Amino acid sequence: MKLFQTLLISAVSLSLIPAAAVNALTINTIDDLTTSQQTIFTLGDSLPKSTTVPLSVGDSSILGTIDRTLKIDAQNSPITPIIQGDIPLPLGGAPGLSFSNGNGTDGRLDLDYDIDVLSPVNFTQGGADRISIGLISSDIAGAAVSVRLNGVTETISPLPIAPPEQVLDFLFSSFAGVDPTLITDFAIIIDPVLEGDISVTILETRGNTTATPEPATVLGLLAVGLTGRVLRKAKK
């Protein structure tokens, strides 16, 4: 009887320990946002304005050394002379993309990757099921962020007021008619609020890991099984 009580207590205690949670983990880096690039609009320039640079080896684990275009545009005539996009971040040179609007300016930034249509990219490599974009800004509230895949655009807007740091997930399944294993067109579009500034610090693919029981949960199941055996013997 004491053995039964001990096993029963162990089974109940161990079975209450939760199994491992399912988490979205980084699968591949789309762009580590380290290769230098800058697009600046000043008064007298025409819009849209863009620059194009090749990605360096190692910048992306899936795109290779393709060209990246950073384009800026505005929905109204700027009052101040600057709309600016920078890679990496201008202060300290940390990896990232910074986009800033001058006073009275409602600018938009497009980050376009020139994938060869004859060499489509499989964005699901490693089991990825989404594109994840990490943002940092005090001006996130009300902004819109979009991803374009093979001509189909999905937008998350308006972004919530808090937190100022967040990761947006664009599931491949939400892009109607798009085969994520055959991507030939990829871009992200950032449209802050009036005079808004936003930085991107993460641009990668992610996927859910398969939940597996923790060792303690397995032991709990074993204890339940042993308890059953003791019960059967006690009845005999």
Side-chain angles (χ1 to χ4, degrees):
M1 185 65 179
K2 288 184 178 179
L3 176 59
F4 164 71
Q5 290 175 336
T6 301
L7 287 173
L8 182 59
I9 292 170
S10 299
V12 172
S13 299
L14 289 171
S15 62
L16 289 176
I17 299 175
V22 178
N23 295 313
L25 298 179
T26 300
I27 304 295
N28 283 296
T29 299
I30 297 175
D31 187 348
D32 65 6
L33 302 172
T34 58
T35 292
S36 295
Q37 187 171 7
Q38 184 181 70
T39 303
I40 301 178
F41 167 84
T42 58
L43 290 180
D45 293 341
S46 59
L47 286 171
K49 186 173 183 180
S50 63
T51 59
T52 301
V53 300
L55 291 183
S56 299
V57 175
D59 283 353
S60 174
S61 57
I62 58 174
L63 296 180
T65 54
I66 67 172
D67 287 345
R68 179 183 69 200
T69 297
L70 195 165
K71 181 177 73 174
I72 55 179
D73 203 348
Q75 297 180 23
N76 61 329
S77 300
I79 297 174
T80 55
I82 293 179
I83 310 170
Q84 184 167 335
D86 291 276
I87 300 174
L89 300 180
L91 297 178
L97 161 66
S98 171
F99 181 52
S100 59
N101 278 293
N103 292 337
T105 303
D106 189 4
R108 189 185 90 161
L109 178 144
D110 292 32
L111 196 62
D112 200 321
Y113 294 83
D114 187 21
I115 301 173
D116 186 349
V117 294
L118 299 179
S119 301
V121 176
N122 179 5
F123 271 53
T124 69
Q125 293 176 43
D129 64 3
R130 73 197 68 186
I131 292 170
S132 296
I133 302 174
L135 303 176
I136 298 177
S137 175
S138 58
D139 299 326
I140 281 181
V145 176
S146 304
V147 170
R148 189 184 73 232
L149 291 176
N150 290 0
V152 177
T153 301
E154 285 294 314
T155 301
I156 298 179
S157 176
L159 299 187
I161 295 176
E165 300 181 29
Q166 58 182 286
V167 175
L168 304 180
D169 289 325
F170 293 81
L171 293 172
F172 296 139
S173 58
S174 66
F175 293 84
V178 174
D179 183 349
T181 68
L182 297 171
I183 297 301
T184 56
D185 168 46
F186 169 59
I188 66 170
I189 301 98
I190 300 173
D191 190 2
V193 294
L194 183 70
E195 302 177 4
D197 301 336
I198 288 183
S199 293
V200 175
T201 55
I202 295 172
L203 183 52
E204 59 194 23
T205 61
R206 293 183 176 183
N208 285 331
T209 58
T210 302
T212 55
E214 295 179 350
T217 305
V218 175
L219 289 174
L221 294 173
L222 289 173
V224 170
L226 289 172
T227 302
R229 292 186 61 184
V230 171
L231 281 171
R232 286 195 296 271
K233 288 184 178 181
K235 289 181 179 179
K236 292 179 179 179

